[in-house]
Amino acid sequence: MATRTHFILLLIVVVIASSVQVHGTLSPTYYSSTCPKALSIVRAGVEAAIKKEARMGASLLRLHFHDCFVNGCDGSILLDDNATFIGEKTAAPNNNSVRGFNVVDDIKAQLEKACPGVVSCADILAIAARDSVVILGGPCWKVKLGRRDSLTASRAAANTSLPGPNFNLSALISSFSAQGLSLKDLVALSGSHTIGLARCTVFRARIYNDANIDASFAKSLQKKCHKSGNDDVTKPLDFQTPTCFDKLYYDNLLKKKGLLHSDQELFNGTNPSAESLVKKYAQDASSFFKDFAKGMVKMGNIKPLTGTAGEIRINCRKAN
């Protein structure tokens, strides 16, 4: 009887173990034996790209964010349109806006030489986002790895899932909550706007219509971003240090100098909890860095494909 009981228990353990194997969990050491140079190859590619153009760090960080918010962190944003679907690149939040695809292609080519068919495009985005932040002076975190790549993409899903630059605070909270992210995650991850640029068409309504904006700040932006035309003129999201990952984004919000309407919504007199976090991060960079890193790990864990789901793409722009 005891032997039979032990056998049943052993069988249960095996079933549970195999279940974990199939569904998989992300781990920072996922490629340690299958592609030990994976992290250094991605890092070298990101460093070269940022050295060539400092703005690219923000672009790579944004790619990961826009990937994860649409059906999870599955590399779907990288897929080109094909005969069976219209991808995410031409969705309203991405069209003429997301960039860095060539950098990802270059990194993937190097990884394919070193370890063919091993490292996913989704994981490249997650590692490149972290490396970009670190290179530009921000916090470091251990990137959990083992995501697989989607076989399809959806422009419709991108249009409905990504938060917009004209969102009010309640819409932002709802958008993040739908991904399992808290108000603290929202405020901390919005700090990614301490780097990068935005197009005139994205902040025009704010600088001409919003009341909670510093008048001289609005006037200075209006000189380049006119009421019509000049749509592609860009301005820094953080006008003080646009290529340095620091806490000045929050300092700007306290002075009503957030570039996007959605930025200033975090400090607009309607939500004491959000405003308390903005003040905290403006005063204490280490708190911002800690919460940002935690938020990035959490975001990177949104509905990943693991085990036998999806595939490892050879070319990040198309399914195998």
Side-chain angles (χ1 to χ4, degrees):
M1 186 70 180
T3 306
R4 180 179 168 78
T5 303
H6 284 138
F7 175 75
I8 291 170
L9 286 172
L10 182 63
L11 192 62
I12 290 169
V13 169
V14 169
V15 168
I16 291 171
S18 64
S19 170
V20 170
Q21 185 76 26
V22 170
H23 295 292
T25 51
L26 304 184
S27 162
T29 58
Y30 187 82
Y31 297 114
S32 58
S33 61
T34 55
C35 192
K37 292 184 178 177
L39 292 173
S40 58
I41 289 171
V42 177
R43 173 72 181 228
V46 174
E47 281 180 343
I50 291 176
K51 189 175 181 182
K52 191 175 176 183
E53 182 196 17
R55 180 190 179 191
M56 188 53 71
S59 300
L60 292 170
L61 175 57
R62 189 161 177 254
L63 268 182
H64 180 46
F65 163 48
H66 279 223
D67 181 37
C68 290
F69 263 58
V70 183
N71 296 322
C73 310
D74 60 2
S76 59
I77 194 170
L78 303 173
L79 288 171
D80 290 336
D81 298 351
N82 65 23
T84 58
F85 64 79
I86 299 174
E88 297 161 26
K89 292 180 179 179
T90 54
N94 294 334
N95 199 31
N96 298 319
S97 175
V98 285
R99 54 202 299 278
F101 299 111
N102 291 339
V103 175
V104 176
D105 290 340
D106 291 345
I107 291 169
K108 180 60 171 170
Q110 293 302 313
L111 287 166
E112 285 303 304
K113 282 182 190 173
C115 333
V118 173
V119 181
S120 70
C121 301
D123 276 348
I124 293 172
L125 292 181
I127 302 165
R130 188 272 312 273
D131 290 349
S132 294
V133 170
V134 172
I135 291 165
L136 295 177
C140 187
W141 62 92
K142 284 186 177 179
V143 180
K144 293 183 178 181
L145 302 166
R147 300 166 192 81
R148 287 166 67 84
D149 297 322
S150 68
L151 304 175
T152 186
S154 169
R155 183 166 69 179
N159 278 326
T160 55
S161 300
L162 289 165
N166 295 314
F167 272 24
N168 63 25
L169 185 57
S170 63
L172 289 168
I173 290 170
S174 296
S175 178
F176 274 67
S177 178
Q179 306 293 346
L181 298 171
S182 66
L183 176 67
K184 182 188 275 190
D185 297 324
L186 162 61
V187 179
L189 292 175
S190 294
S192 61
H193 286 178
T194 183
I195 53 175
L197 306 174
R199 295 161 65 226
C200 168
T201 185
V202 168
F203 60 84
R204 178 182 282 125
R206 167 153 169 76
I207 65 174
Y208 287 101
N209 303 332
D210 281 8
N212 63 339
I213 186 169
D214 178 86
S216 60
F217 178 63
K219 205 167 187 177
S220 69
L221 291 165
Q222 289 168 6
K223 289 176 183 175
K224 294 288 186 183
C225 179
H226 305 148
K227 283 192 175 181
S228 62
N230 283 13
D231 283 2
D232 293 329
V233 165
T234 56
K235 285 293 177 181
L237 288 157
D238 166 11
F239 71 94
Q240 298 192 74
T241 54
T243 58
C244 179
F245 198 99
D246 54 29
K247 70 174 184 66
L248 293 184
Y249 166 81
Y250 300 102
D251 295 56
N252 297 338
L253 297 186
L254 297 180
K255 298 168 187 169
K256 298 185 179 180
K257 292 182 179 180
L259 183 66
L260 306 182
H261 177 82
S262 56
D263 289 330
Q264 198 60 54
E265 281 290 294
L266 302 179
F267 195 81
N268 70 351
T270 63
N271 189 305
S273 299
E275 297 204 359
S276 172
L277 287 165
V278 170
K279 288 176 184 173
K280 179 184 176 185
Y281 298 153
Q283 291 166 358
D284 183 8
S286 63
S287 287
F288 163 46
F289 278 18
K290 185 178 79 174
D291 290 348
F292 181 85
K294 281 183 181 174
M296 287 297 292
V297 171
K298 203 168 164 185
M299 185 183 79
N301 208 33
I302 296 172
K303 293 189 289 186
L305 298 174
T306 58
T308 55
E311 66 179 11
I312 305 298
R313 280 182 226 140
I314 305 305
N315 177 343
C316 289
R317 294 174 182 262
K318 61 181 185 178
N320 294 343

